[in-house]
């Protein structure tokens, strides 16, 4: 028998103390019954835990305490006040629920929320908060009856709420990042991708700022600072999103648009002019866009990701504004998620490749349709280059071979650990191999049907493979593809598709010649190159290149002045690795102003691996206060940093 969870609260927070009365009551009336019965470790994948949604047997989600097979949330009415002074959100979450199995408890995920009161059918009720577990937070158990239809929870976010980043300064900003399991740090929810609900919201913010959500959005500020939102289609909690800032809106065509702070709005409007074409291309490929509008919000540079596919409103890093529209593949990616991910959703984070691998494939197809095959094949070649490098790093250097499988096993781990090039790029090449094996027409028809038939549902790896075998592949195809090796095997199968790019081959050869001393710097036609060619050249600079040669390249091409952050990033990493000191001030200014983890990790790691840990730490101390919690977590670990 496990100890009572009421007694295992490790750090009694003021919040916990506040509820002592409720908790005591609850201990008598309800909790006793469950104490000791509920397990301390995350749910395991067992037949008992399998649930049935839309006639599919799905594995249960080890990253949520909720038991939607018993009692499930169907709709949320969220009333919130955003307080920039205290940096907290105070809210009431009013839920419509369904008691599926006649259970006496509904379970929500919470992570350090300060709960004020819980009501069922309008009546104040006791509740029980279980012990806090790393990454997962706590289960919030609310007693219900077979007839209960509504639960309302009044709460506040805590100071350290991990999803939230409050940006101070001239342009105050708040944004959330819920994926994978951080929604529970700002809303009590059944935080599992398999639980979908619609929502309405009323949000009050300082009157000089606009609020935006993953929902129907305002296009102008209003003087009251009160905004209402509606998301009629059911979405999983990881797609709940809120941003508050001094933003303006510009339309791009009928259905699309961009939001950004005033100083960026024009640049953003120019950069993303082709969003409209992308949307048309996407619909042409895999069916109607069902979410209404598709807008893009440019976030502060501290956003830890490149983009996040919040429905109707993609959140994006400003580092994709290059001035020449060269980094818009990211928009194609997030747009593609409107089908792969937001319509057909990975069942658990172990199936993350079903979201991301499909999305990279779809992104490539949009890029091909809008910019042509030559352009998209350059992107595909970089995708392969990244896969090969990262796969080896994970399997050999980090010695985590199982993390190179498409189907992951993240039980007991942070789902964030699954966020590598494997689900993205290995997933992409697996789909591309299928396309090349069965032919594009057949594959496109298959994908279109897949999205249509599973709209607003979850999918897991086993069910996808069953559907694939049933609907697409012949025995001959199966023999050619070797699904097991791709999905359940370690490493990169030998039948990975070839990517041909004459332009990148020319880059490789001029690089080889220049390194060997057979080509002059003027033979490198830098000015005529697209970003992919520049990126390829820099990232493939071999070991033997010296700091002096780096200086020669920099003098000729003024690389440190580039407006393309991917090129700059690649250059800064090489500069660190080759002790090209002229770039160090830029390394510092870049790391202090940009919080995108994909850039941070390699740069800090390069310093660490080349004996410059002191430099890394000195920069990190300055930069850390500007980073979002998900970046801080990764960098603290990398640099062995503690406050
Ligand atoms: N959904 C992801 C971001 C994500 C995944 C956040 C898992 C948290 C947990 C988003 O669609 C994404 O993949 N973003 C990429 C950009 C893309 C072009 C590969 C990124 O942020 O770099
Ligand atoms: Zn993605």
């Amino acid at each position: 028998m496990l100890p009572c969870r009421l007694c295992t609260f490790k750090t009694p927070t003021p919040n916990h103390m506040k509820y002592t009365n409720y908790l005591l009551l609850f201990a008598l009336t309800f909790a006793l019954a469950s104490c000791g019965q509920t397990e301390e470790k995350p749910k395991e994948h067992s037949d008992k835990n399998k649930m049935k949604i839309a006639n599919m047997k799905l594995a249960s989600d080890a990253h949520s305490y909720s038991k939607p097979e018993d009692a499930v949330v169907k709709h949320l009415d969220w009333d919130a006040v955003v307080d920039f002074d205290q940096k907290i959100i105070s809210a009431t979450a009013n839920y419509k629920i369904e008691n599926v199995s006649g259970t006496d408890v509904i379970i929500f995920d919470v992570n350090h929320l300060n709960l004020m009161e819980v009501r069922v059918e309008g009546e104040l009720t006791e509740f029980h908060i279980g012990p806090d577990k790393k990454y997962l937070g706590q289960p919030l158990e609310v007693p219900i009856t077979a007839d209960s239809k509504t639960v309302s929870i009044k709460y506040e976010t805590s100071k350290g709420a991990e999803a939230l980043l409050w940006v101070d300064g001239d342009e105050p900003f708040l944004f959330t990042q819920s994926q994978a399991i951080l929604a529970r740090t700002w809303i009590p929810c059944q935080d599992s991708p398999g639980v979908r609900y619609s929502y309405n919201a009323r949000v009050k913010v300082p009157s000089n700022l606009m609020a935006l959500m993953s929902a129907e959005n305002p296009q102008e500020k209003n003087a009251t600072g009160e905004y209402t939102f509606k998301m009629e289609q059911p979405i999983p909690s990881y797609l709940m999103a809120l941003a508050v800032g001094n933003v303006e809106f510009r339309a791009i065509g009928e259905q699309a648009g961009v939001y950004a702070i005033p100083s960026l709005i024009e640049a953003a409007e120019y950069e993303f002019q082709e969003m409209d074409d992308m949307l048309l291309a996407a619909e042409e490929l895999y069916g109607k866009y069902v979410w209404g509008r598709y807008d893009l919000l440019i976030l502060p540079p501290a956003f830890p990701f490149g983009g996040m596919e919040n429905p109707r409103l993609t959140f994006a890093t400003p580092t994709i504004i290059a001035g020449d529209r060269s980094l818009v593949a990211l928009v194609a990616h997030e747009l593609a998620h409107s089908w792969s991910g937001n319509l057909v959703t990975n069942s658990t984070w172990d199936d993350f490749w079903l979201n991301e691998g499909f999305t990279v494939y779809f992104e490539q197809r949009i890029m091909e349709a809008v910019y042509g095959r030559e352009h998209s094949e350059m992107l595909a070649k970089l995708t392969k280059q990244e896969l090969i490098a990262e796969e080896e790093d994970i399997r050999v250097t980090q010695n985590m071979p199982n993390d190179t499988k498409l189907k992951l096993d993240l039980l007991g781990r942070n789902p964030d650990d699954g966020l590598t090039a494997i689900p993205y790029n290995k997933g992409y090449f697996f789909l591309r191999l299928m396309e090349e094996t069965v032919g594009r027409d057949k594959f496109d028809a298959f994908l279109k049907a897949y999205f249509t038939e599973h709209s607003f549902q979850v999918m897991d790896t086993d069910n996808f493979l069953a559907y694939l075998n049933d609907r697409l592949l012949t025995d001959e195809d199966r023999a050619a593809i070797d699904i097991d090796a791709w999905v359940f095997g370690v490493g990169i199968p030998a039948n990975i598709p070839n990517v041909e790019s004459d332009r990148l081959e020319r880059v490789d050869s001029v690089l080889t010649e220049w390194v060997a001393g057979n080509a002059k710097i003027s033979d490198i036609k830098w000015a005529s190159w697209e970003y992919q060619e520049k990126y390829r050249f820099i990232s493939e600079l071999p070991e033997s290149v010296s700091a002096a040669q780096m200086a020669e390249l920099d003098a000729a091409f003024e690389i440190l002045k580039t407006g393309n952050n991917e090129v700059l990033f690649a250059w800064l990493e090489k500069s660190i690795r080759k002790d090209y000191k002229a770039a160090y001030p830029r390394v510092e200014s870049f790391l202090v102003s940009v919080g995108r983890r994909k850039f941070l990790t390699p740069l800090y790691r390069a310093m660490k691996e080349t004996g410059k840990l002191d430099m890394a730490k000195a920069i990190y101390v300055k930069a850390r206060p500007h980073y979002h919690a998900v970046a801080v977590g990764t960098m603290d670990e990398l640099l062995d940093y503690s406050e």
Side-chain angles (χ1 to χ4, degrees):
M1 182 105 161
L2 296 164
C4 171
R5 284 179 291 163
L6 288 173
C7 317
T8 58
F9 252 96
K10 286 191 196 78
T11 41
T13 57
N15 169 39
H16 174 226
M17 306 303 281
K18 246 193 266 178
Y19 310 121
T20 309
N21 291 344
Y22 284 138
L23 290 171
L24 283 175
L25 249 177
F26 195 54
L28 291 168
T29 57
F30 168 76
L32 274 179
S34 63
C35 273
Q37 287 178 4
T38 319
E39 75 290 70
E40 286 284 310
K41 57 181 176 20
K43 289 175 279 182
E44 306 221 13
H45 294 231
S46 71
D47 281 334
K48 221 172 69 201
N49 273 329
K50 288 199 172 172
M51 62 180 176
K52 221 174 173 180
I53 293 180
N55 302 321
M56 283 195 287
K57 283 268 184 202
L58 294 162
S60 73
D61 180 3
H63 294 106
S64 172
Y65 294 102
S66 68
K67 294 194 167 119
E69 67 276 31
D70 289 330
V72 67
V73 152
K74 288 293 175 191
H75 178 82
L76 164 66
D77 264 299
W78 193 62
D79 251 304
V81 177
V82 176
D83 182 340
F84 273 80
D85 294 332
Q86 290 191 67
K87 299 198 164 89
I88 56 169
I89 300 175
S90 322
T92 305
N94 300 294
Y95 280 107
K96 292 201 176 80
I97 63 158
E98 209 172 281
N99 189 338
V100 184
S101 69
T103 176
D104 56 4
V105 61
I106 181 164
I107 308 173
F108 296 87
D109 295 291
V110 294
N111 195 341
H112 294 96
L113 295 176
N114 295 321
L115 300 196
M116 310 299 176
E117 56 180 51
V118 177
R119 289 171 189 270
V120 173
E121 300 295 312
E123 296 291 328
L124 218 51
T125 182
E126 307 88 352
F127 55 90
H128 180 204
I129 302 174
D132 187 15
K133 267 183 254 162
K134 207 171 171 194
Y135 317 125
L136 298 179
Q138 304 143 298
L140 162 63
E141 301 177 345
V142 178
I144 55 172
T145 67
D147 302 326
S148 303
K149 300 261 181 312
T150 65
V151 172
S152 89
I153 303 168
K154 193 172 166 199
Y155 69 97
E156 284 176 2
T157 57
S158 67
K159 274 268 187 279
E162 282 181 56
L164 308 179
L165 189 72
W166 304 83
V167 179
D168 296 316
D170 298 344
E171 290 290 4
F173 216 103
L174 163 69
F175 65 83
T176 63
Q177 168 57 43
S178 297
Q179 196 180 11
I181 55 169
L182 298 178
R184 64 191 71 174
T185 70
W186 65 288
I187 308 182
C189 56
Q190 294 190 311
D191 202 3
S192 177
V195 180
R196 303 181 87 95
Y197 54 91
S198 50
Y199 77 87
N200 295 333
R202 274 168 303 282
V203 181
K204 176 140 180 58
V205 304
S207 59
N208 58 329
L209 306 178
M210 198 194 298
L212 299 167
M213 293 192 80
S214 49
E216 273 182 42
N217 273 307
Q219 292 182 348
E220 275 171 17
K221 275 192 261 181
N222 72 50
T224 64
E226 281 179 22
Y227 296 88
T228 56
F229 301 91
K230 192 162 67 179
M231 170 44 82
E232 283 173 332
Q233 287 112 321
I235 60 166
S237 52
Y238 79 87
L239 296 176
M240 292 295 300
L242 170 70
V244 182
N246 174 28
V247 293
E248 286 177 20
F249 173 77
R250 295 281 167 90
I252 293 171
E254 282 288 295
Q255 216 182 337
V258 58
Y259 295 87
I261 55 171
S263 60
L264 282 182
I265 190 72
E266 252 165 53
E269 186 184 10
Y270 174 81
E271 201 79 20
F272 306 113
Q273 271 306 308
E274 288 139 1
M275 263 166 73
D276 225 18
D277 301 335
M278 289 182 175
L279 188 53
L280 288 176
E283 288 192 304
E284 188 68 27
L285 280 164
Y286 300 126
K288 199 176 153 29
Y289 178 78
V290 304
W291 304 91
R293 295 194 57 81
Y294 179 75
D295 296 322
L296 185 68
L297 168 64
I298 305 301
L299 289 177
F303 184 49
F305 295 105
M308 178 64 214
E309 66 272 26
N310 298 316
R312 296 179 65 105
L313 184 67
T314 284
F315 283 17
T317 169
T319 61
I320 54 168
I321 302 179
D324 59 3
R325 302 179 180 169
S326 54
L327 298 177
V328 294
L330 185 132
V331 178
H333 178 95
E334 305 310 334
L335 171 65
H337 272 305
S338 307
W339 288 260
S340 44
N342 299 5
L343 263 193
V344 186
T345 307
N346 54 205
S347 172
T348 71
W349 301 115
D350 288 351
D351 305 302
F352 187 50
W353 76 277
L354 292 177
N355 272 19
E356 297 299 344
F358 278 63
T359 299
V360 174
Y361 178 82
F362 195 168
E363 165 198 346
Q364 280 289 138
R365 294 295 304 277
I366 294 171
M367 292 306 285
E368 181 182 326
V370 179
Y371 301 96
R373 178 89 177 166
E374 186 185 56
H375 184 93
S376 67
E377 281 298 87
M378 284 202 278
L379 292 172
K381 205 163 171 95
L382 296 186
T383 300
K384 190 164 177 177
Q385 181 187 332
E386 182 184 54
L387 174 61
I388 290 167
E390 214 175 305
E391 187 277 330
E392 169 155 325
D393 181 62
I394 298 167
R395 185 171 42 81
V396 182
T397 314
Q398 298 174 39
N399 193 21
M400 301 287 274
N402 289 333
D403 285 356
T404 67
K405 299 172 179 174
L406 279 182
K407 167 80 180 172
L408 295 169
D409 181 3
L410 296 168
L411 183 68
R413 297 169 68 190
N414 188 340
D416 206 43
D417 291 358
L419 192 45
T420 71
I422 299 298
Y424 286 80
N425 303 8
K426 187 179 176 186
Y428 164 70
F429 279 105
F430 177 45
L431 295 191
R432 178 166 167 155
L433 176 62
M434 286 195 259
E435 179 209 305
E436 292 180 2
T437 306
V438 305
R440 181 169 273 196
D441 289 349
K442 225 174 134 187
F443 192 59
D444 280 352
F446 165 80
L447 275 188
K448 194 168 182 173
Y450 170 73
F451 291 131
T452 314
E453 289 172 30
H454 301 96
S455 281
F456 296 102
Q457 291 174 28
V458 270
M459 182 54 72
D460 66 15
T461 300
D462 289 346
N463 281 291
F464 171 69
L465 295 181
Y467 184 79
L468 179 70
N469 281 319
D470 187 36
R471 302 290 284 269
L472 185 69
L473 302 180
T474 63
D475 286 345
E476 211 180 309
D477 299 332
R478 270 186 283 276
I481 292 168
D482 193 353
I483 294 174
D484 266 3
W486 276 91
V487 178
F488 304 107
V490 163
I492 307 170
N495 61 353
I496 183 168
N498 249 337
V499 184
E500 304 284 349
S501 165
D502 292 347
R503 293 179 65 160
L504 292 186
E505 264 151 42
R506 283 199 290 274
V507 170
D508 291 354
S509 62
V510 75
L511 172 57
T512 311
E513 294 301 309
W514 178 72
V515 169
N518 301 329
K520 298 188 295 296
I521 198 114
S522 57
D523 294 327
I524 303 168
K525 303 294 173 206
W526 191 263
S528 70
W529 281 357
E530 287 195 45
Y531 123 76
Q532 293 93 324
E533 294 165 291
K534 293 175 182 167
Y535 185 91
R536 175 76 172 193
F537 185 91
I538 296 170
S539 58
E540 295 280 273
L541 283 169
E543 283 281 312
S544 63
V545 168
S546 64
Q549 285 172 302
M550 294 288 286
E552 190 187 358
L553 290 170
D554 205 7
F557 309 132
E558 300 194 303
I559 305 175
L560 283 172
K561 290 192 186 149
T562 177
N564 186 304
N565 283 296
E566 293 282 351
V567 172
L568 178 63
F569 155 73
W571 182 248
L572 295 179
E573 189 189 353
K574 284 289 175 190
S575 298
I576 296 167
R577 292 197 179 274
K578 300 192 177 304
D579 295 322
Y580 173 53
K581 297 195 174 64
Y584 291 1
R586 193 71 188 92
V587 169
E588 174 162 342
S589 61
F590 185 77
L591 287 172
V592 170
S593 60
V594 173
R596 185 173 172 189
R597 192 168 59 176
K598 180 186 126 177
F599 294 151
L600 308 189
T601 308
L603 293 179
Y604 284 114
R605 196 170 155 189
M607 288 184 256
K608 183 176 164 177
E609 288 174 359
T610 54
K612 295 188 268 287
L613 194 58
D614 288 348
M615 173 178 167
K617 285 191 169 164
I619 296 174
Y620 186 53
V621 169
K622 288 186 211 163
R624 192 175 182 272
H626 305 295
Y627 294 163
H628 184 277
V630 306
V632 168
T634 310
M635 297 320 127
D636 280 1
E637 199 181 312
L638 178 70
L639 300 175
D640 201 11
Y641 180 94
S642 58
E643 272 181 306

